[in-house]
Every structure is written in C-alpha cells, then in structure tokens.
Amino acid sequence: MQSPSVFNIVVFGTQSEFDLTKVLPEGSVIQNVNYDIDKLAEGEVPPGELVICFPPSDKSISMLELAQLLRMGYPSSLIFYLVLRREDFEKKRIIKNGFDNAFLLPWESSELQQSLGEAALYSRLPELKDYAPVKVLDLVAEKVLDFGTKVYLPVNNKLVTIGRSGEPLSGDKLRMLNEGSYGTVFVHKSELSNFHDYTKKVLSEMGQIQSETERQEKMRVAVRELVSDLFVDDVQENTFGKSKAIVEELSKTVSAMMKEQYPVIMKKMESLLNEEYSFYRHLSNVSTYAMIFSMAMGLEKPQEVAVAGVLHDVGKTALPLEVANTEESQMSPHALEAYHKHPQLTIDVIKMKRVPLHERITKAILQHHERCDGSGYPAGLNGSRICVEAKILAIADEFDYLTTLKPGQTKMTPKDALDHMIKENGANPVVMKLDVNILVTLREVLIEGKLTKKEDKNAKQSPF
Amino acid sequence: MFAPTTRVLIVDDMSTMRKIVGKTCKELGFSDLTEAADGTLAWEALQNAPAPIGLIISDWNMPNCTGIDLLKRVRADSRFKGVPFILVTAEAEQHQVIEAVKAGVDQYVVKPFTKDDLKTKLESVYKKYAKS
Ligand SMILES: [Fe+2]
Ligand SMILES: [Fe+2]
C-alpha cells in the first residue's frame, strides 16, 4: 500500500546516542545535514516540512543565531531542538530563542514521537487544523450532542463523521471507539464551545469538578513543567515558589478525584491504562494510583503520597546517558549500581531546587525501591522499617508497569494486576517483596468494594 | 520601496546576523550596504560615510553601545535625526517596545524573523516616510 504522502524531515547535526528512527512517524523520510553556517546563511537548505536539530558542536554560534538561520531557511516549518544532555536543556530559553519545541532525550522520547506524529498528520491532512481532539471518555452515550464528531482513518487519510450535531452517539459506537485505537475524536473548532458547554453540564449532573480529559491534560502539563523546571539553574527563575505552586496545583487536581466513588475512580483508572509508556505518564500515573491506594488504605492526606508519586523517579534524569539508555534487565553491575542511586538523586534534585517537601514525602521517595524481604535498594531495609507510603508507592510503581502497554506484551486489567501481585508476593513470606496485606486490602476495597471510604479510616495497619 | 540606491547601515555584534540581514536587504533590492559591529562603530560609520546613510537596521543587545543608545544618539543629532531606524530585538518585551517608541524608533523586528517579516517592516517604514 502506498502511503498518502511523504513527510520530509531534515535533521541538522549528528549524534550517535539516540536512535531517531524509533520515534519517526510512518511515511517520513529523513535527510541528515551537517551544520554549514555559510550555506545556512546563504539559504541553501534542503526542503522539509519539519526540521530537527541537535546542538551544533561549533559552540561559537549562539542558539539565537542558529534559530534565526533556520527560520530564514524554513519560514513555515516546525523546528524542534533535541538535547541529550541535561546541562544543555533549558527549555524555556530554547523556546524563547525561537525554536518551536525542545525535547530532552531519552526522557521525552514519547512526547517527541507524539509531536512528530501530530506534525506528520497535520501536514498530510491540512483540514485537521480546523479541528480539536477530544477524548471519547468525555462523551456520554445516548445523549443528543450539539456538535459533530469525526475520527481520523489513517488508511484512507480521511476524517470520517461518526456523529452529527443534533444526534446522540450509541453506546455500541462509543465502546467501539474506546476499544479501537480511536481514543480521540475530532470536533470542529467552530463547535468547540458547544463541546465545552456540554462537558460542563454533564459534569455538574454527575457532581464532578473537571472532566477526565482536563484532569489528565493538567497532570501531564504540570508534570512536564515541573520536571523541566528542575533543570533551570538560573536562581532568578526562583524555583522555590514556582515548584511549590505546581505541587499545589497537582494536589488540587488529584484531590478533585477523591470526591468520587470507587467505581467512578476505577473507571478512570482503566482509562489511564490505554496509553503507551512515557516517562511523564509514568510519573503522573503512579501519582494517581498512589493517591487512590492511599485513600483505599485510609491514610491521612493521600495527596502527599500523590506528590511523592509524581516526583519519585525524577532523579533518573541525572543518571549518565549510558545508564539512562539501558533497560534495567540489561544493565551491567556497574550501571546497576548507578541506577540504584536514583531515589537519592530525586531527593538531591528536589533539595537543590529548594522545593519544600514534608519528610513523609521524601521518605516515601527514598524508600520506593526498598522491598519487604530486605532485597531492595538503596538501604536494603526490612519490611518493618519501610514506611507505609513507600510500600504503597512501590505497589503503584509495579501496578503501572503491569498495566501499561508494552511492545509485544499484553497489559493487565487492574484486577489481574492486583491478583498477579498478590500471587507473586503471597506464597512465601520470606521472599515477599511487596506488602501482601496492603495488596489484599486494595483488592477488597477497589475490586470487591468491601469497605467504604469511611470504614477505611479504621482499617487495620499493615503489620509490616 | 526605498530607492535601491539608499545606503543601509546594518548594526549587529554577531557576524552571521549581519550576513542574514544583509542578504535579505539585497533580496529586497538594496545594494549599498555598510556593516558595523556595535553602536560606537555604527556612529563612526554614520559620520564617515562617503554618502549619507538612508536607513539604519540595528540590533538591540550589543556590547559598548546598544541599539537603543545608538537610536537616542541618532535622534538627538540634527544631521541624522530624520534617518529611518529599525530595531531588531531578541524578544519583544513590553517595556522595551515602549522605550524604543519613546526614543523614536520607526519599527522593530523580533528575532528569529523570516524574510517576509523584515520585508513587511521595511514597507511600513517606507510608507511612513513617503507620506511625510
Ligand atoms: Fe524508581
Ligand atoms: Fe517508577
């Protein structure tokens, strides 16, 4: 089958540490170009719908000059700046200098992949610019909609109408959309305000504050902003106040979920499972799960555990590239030793940024890889010495791993994931890694609905 | 447009930027270009030019004498105060724009700009001077 059209990407500069081909959209053709300042200044550049550039080895050219040179050659193309070194990554400065977007690799590779995919899509089907993506999850079945909905069919490169304005969407149709790869539908921008009014109405009928799309989007933006803020070394940017504000914003968005009943929460949890792995998504998922699990365990201030969840792995970005680029199972003993420092690195990064965090949060982060049988790291603590928040974080971490889409593997449902963890850890208390008492309680509360939230408050503490 | 014979003074501390602005000017029909690497050198070029400078395109951020300093100096001098002046800035900060307008700038261009951006600004400056 012939692809509808070719998407030309011009790549300036070379590097060997990141395999760009892994994230390229289908049907794209890349052309590698060396930085030649004179040629650039003369405007002698190969044509491309999108431009990717790595930092030039010639440091005499400033980022502003580079942006200017590229913008002259590509007045209307997107220009992305890719960085593999944390020290080179000052996102706001890069964007201020005129680049359309900047990505820190490998951490933001799935965000890069998404942005490249979107750019290819929009270039292939220009009319898409008049539409906005909307999560199927926000649509209610059998309700008359005053806006039309369309899906994108890659095979014929077309937007196809699935629901007209003034008609309801059937439950079957919605289910099909949710189960297929169409988690998103498109609404014409002229009808977008109708969509917003609709979600507001539906939400107020359901007694909710914000839609799932809004919540997920807010989380994603907040996590990304928080993480990229941690890279800014400029004291002037005053990370203290800003990080605190982001953490507070996060607390608010996750707390909004607390007001809901478990079946609603579980439904939302399932919606998170449809996505592929991304570093930021992992952070925000673990945060959400840690909060839900803390609630189910009747812990006080579950949003503090959520904050620990959102931060737990950010120290990984301080790891050397060769460690960051390797799967944990493939690491050499030396790399593994470095990798095991990431909980402490997270604490270091936070401290360096003077983010004010409660000791309960830092402790949970530091201990999130400790295991009940003492086989964990960094301290090899025993179950009795690991705090309950860290145990919950460890379960949330594993839960996200089991329920996330991985290439060539089937993902588990929440119930299967909990059952799997109970089976793995319940057989022999001597080699129990995750706290099985917590797991069993979670299964009772979340899957079987045995305890209500109120009763949870009096729930027994885990003996470990 | 301006007459092709208009002598243009391009001021920027980065040689690549001078090259880019110069190339765009040529493409827009100007052939008589003079370059200077900062405000002080630009001031010298203004006095020593064999024929009068008819247009100044200057960067804002430069060592020694900045673009806004140069602008103020030009506007305060009876010999040059009528020369069209375009400032090129890295970012359009509100207070910067106000300061530039107060000092008598004709247009400002924000980096990174395209050829069309610069062309549009040049045309608007031309229209302004054609009227008066
Ligand atoms: Fe971790
Ligand atoms: Fe993790």
Side-chain angles (χ1 to χ4, degrees):
Chain A
M1 170 118 206
Q2 207 188 338
S3 62
S5 64
V6 166
F7 186 60
N8 287 301
I9 303 176
V10 181
V11 182
F12 283 90
T14 49
Q15 53 77 41
S16 53
E17 291 140 318
F18 183 75
D19 182 8
L20 202 54
T21 56
K22 277 192 306 197
V23 298
L24 293 180
E26 225 177 288
S28 54
V29 172
I30 59 169
Q31 186 172 357
N32 284 292
V33 188
N34 284 329
Y35 280 110
D36 184 329
I37 304 305
D38 292 328
K39 270 194 180 166
L40 266 173
E42 286 303 316
E44 286 174 34
V45 289
E49 276 110 14
L50 188 132
V51 178
I52 283 175
C53 58
F54 290 101
S57 48
D58 175 6
K59 295 286 173 213
S60 70
I61 177 160
S62 74
M63 210 182 277
L64 190 60
E65 283 176 290
L66 184 61
Q68 178 63 62
L69 283 166
L70 291 168
R71 187 50 77 203
M72 296 295 282
Y74 302 95
S76 54
S77 306
L78 284 173
I79 306 177
F80 290 175
Y81 196 76
L82 308 192
V83 167
L84 281 120
R85 309 241 174 273
R86 218 182 94 126
E87 355 9 312
D88 290 343
F89 192 68
E90 273 189 52
K91 188 168 189 164
K92 287 194 179 120
R93 192 167 67 90
I94 297 170
I95 290 173
K96 211 180 201 172
N97 275 334
F99 291 94
D100 291 302
N101 212 338
F103 299 89
L104 177 71
L105 300 172
W107 308 107
E108 298 186 338
S109 53
S110 75
E111 281 71 21
L112 171 64
Q113 183 168 27
Q114 195 189 337
S115 295
L116 289 174
E118 273 166 21
L121 189 61
Y122 284 104
S123 105
R124 219 166 266 164
L125 193 65
E127 63 169 299
L128 259 183
K129 285 203 173 68
D130 300 328
Y131 290 83
V134 157
K135 284 247 156 111
V136 176
L137 205 74
D138 286 339
L139 303 174
V140 177
E142 318 296 352
K143 230 175 152 71
V144 176
L145 306 176
D146 54 355
F147 52 87
T149 45
K150 294 186 177 203
V151 282
Y152 174 72
L153 293 183
V155 185
N156 358 27
N157 188 38
K158 252 189 189 159
L159 274 182
V160 178
T161 302
I162 50 156
R164 267 174 240 285
S165 174
E167 289 174 6
L169 279 172
S170 72
D172 282 347
K173 226 173 202 175
L174 277 182
R175 216 161 305 124
M176 180 202 83
L177 287 168
N178 233 342
E179 279 162 15
S181 51
Y182 317 110
T184 343
V185 290
F186 291 92
V187 173
H188 197 271
K189 280 183 180 160
S190 65
E191 291 179 329
L192 203 56
S193 60
N194 293 4
F195 167 74
H196 289 310
D197 292 346
Y198 159 85
T199 44
K200 231 181 266 161
K201 217 176 105 207
V202 170
L203 285 172
S204 72
E205 279 167 17
M206 286 162 65
Q208 292 178 31
I209 304 153
Q210 58 184 345
S211 75
E212 188 52 19
T213 305
E214 273 176 288
R215 194 193 70 85
Q216 285 188 27
E217 184 57 21
K218 260 194 190 164
M219 278 285 265
R220 201 180 60 81
V221 170
V223 172
R224 201 172 177 204
E225 192 170 324
L226 179 71
V227 175
S228 53
D229 246 29
L230 293 172
F231 300 118
V232 180
D233 287 328
D234 189 350
V235 194
Q236 293 280 298
E237 291 264 326
N238 197 348
T239 1
F240 178 88
K242 235 195 309 182
S243 304
K244 199 168 165 234
I246 292 170
V247 168
E248 269 165 16
E249 177 61 28
L250 261 171
S251 298
K252 251 191 268 163
T253 50
V254 287
S255 306
M257 228 183 180
M258 291 172 63
K259 302 193 170 61
E260 293 162 23
Q261 297 298 309
Y262 282 118
V264 179
I265 295 173
M266 287 308 287
K267 210 172 146 40
K268 292 191 165 179
M269 205 149 94
E270 291 216 35
S271 78
L272 293 176
L273 313 178
N274 285 325
E275 312 277 358
E276 272 172 61
Y277 177 83
S278 118
F279 181 56
Y280 293 144
R281 205 173 287 136
H282 173 64
L283 295 179
S284 88
N285 284 1
V286 168
S287 168
T288 309
Y289 301 146
M291 194 200 66
I292 296 169
F293 295 170
S294 300
M295 284 161 58
M297 295 302 295
L299 294 193
E300 294 288 322
K301 294 191 184 163
Q303 60 273 39
E304 285 187 355
V305 192
V307 171
V310 93
L311 294 168
H312 78 284
D313 275 342
V314 298
K316 282 188 180 179
T317 58
L319 290 170
L321 259 186
E322 56 274 24
V323 179
N325 272 330
T326 319
E327 281 282 322
E328 194 183 345
S329 56
Q330 314 281 310
M331 283 180 193
S332 68
H334 183 71
L336 213 51
E337 197 190 315
Y339 180 74
H340 285 175
K341 292 200 176 108
H342 82 260
Q344 182 58 50
L345 287 172
T346 300
I347 305 293
D348 293 347
V349 170
I350 294 167
K351 279 213 177 118
M352 199 174 75
K353 290 290 132 195
R354 295 169 295 168
V355 183
L357 288 185
H358 199 278
E359 202 202 316
R360 184 185 180 213
I361 298 173
T362 50
K363 215 169 166 188
I365 293 170
L366 194 59
Q367 298 180 352
H368 82 269
H369 284 290
E370 298 291 355
R371 294 294 177 254
C372 293
D373 61 359
S375 65
Y377 61 84
L381 294 180
N382 243 307
S384 59
R385 303 194 47 208
I386 307 171
C387 64
V388 62
E389 292 84 358
K391 288 176 176 176
I392 288 175
L393 213 50
I395 291 171
D397 204 5
E398 178 73 5
F399 183 87
D400 186 48
Y401 175 76
L402 294 173
T403 54
T404 295
L405 217 54
K406 288 171 288 287
Q409 282 181 47
T410 47
K411 56 169 186 162
M412 294 185 190
T413 64
K415 180 181 170 296
D416 288 349
L418 283 174
D419 282 344
H420 174 84
M421 286 191 274
I422 290 171
K423 205 175 132 223
E424 292 275 288
N425 294 284
N428 185 351
V430 182
V431 289
M432 177 173 83
K433 305 218 180 301
L434 301 171
D435 192 321
V436 85
N437 290 303
I438 296 179
L439 286 166
V440 168
T441 308
L442 291 179
R443 195 187 188 288
E444 283 172 2
V445 176
L446 298 172
I447 310 294
E448 294 157 30
K450 263 195 187 161
L451 295 173
T452 65
K453 272 190 228 177
K454 228 182 192 158
E455 286 164 329
D456 277 356
K457 295 270 186 230
N458 310 319
K460 56 200 179 306
Q461 275 286 330
S462 152
F464 289 93
Chain B
M1 277 316 304
F2 294 86
T5 49
T6 300
R7 179 175 291 250
V8 186
L9 176 59
I10 298 164
V11 194
D12 200 306
D13 54 327
M14 297 194 258
S15 65
T16 354
M17 286 304 302
R18 292 199 298 272
K19 218 175 191 173
I20 288 168
V21 175
K23 185 173 177 281
T24 313
C25 285
K26 273 187 193 149
E27 282 174 18
L28 296 174
F30 298 98
S31 55
D32 194 353
L33 309 178
T34 308
E35 290 184 13
D38 67 42
T40 314
L41 294 169
W43 184 248
E44 279 170 28
L46 264 173
Q47 339 251 341
N48 303 334
I53 301 278
L55 171 68
I56 302 170
I57 303 174
S58 173
D59 184 26
W60 185 302
N61 262 322
M62 291 178 295
N64 299 326
C65 175
T66 65
I68 189 84
D69 293 337
L70 176 66
L71 170 66
K72 285 174 183 164
R73 220 162 154 183
V74 165
R75 289 291 179 254
D77 192 298
S78 60
R79 291 168 295 168
F80 311 120
K81 67 175 182 207
V83 180
F85 201 113
I86 296 177
L87 264 174
V88 183
T89 62
E91 51 188 299
E93 298 266 12
Q94 194 64 27
H95 67 272
Q96 276 201 332
V97 173
I98 292 168
E99 191 188 355
V101 171
K102 270 189 188 156
V105 80
D106 293 296
Q107 266 300 347
Y108 53 89
V109 185
V110 182
K111 287 189 229 175
F113 53 86
T114 63
K115 198 167 72 189
D116 284 343
D117 294 336
L118 189 57
K119 196 176 156 214
T120 313
K121 302 287 163 130
L122 279 168
E123 276 167 358
S124 94
V125 173
Y126 172 69
K127 271 189 204 140
K128 186 174 158 188
Y129 280 83
K131 257 187 239 161
S132 56

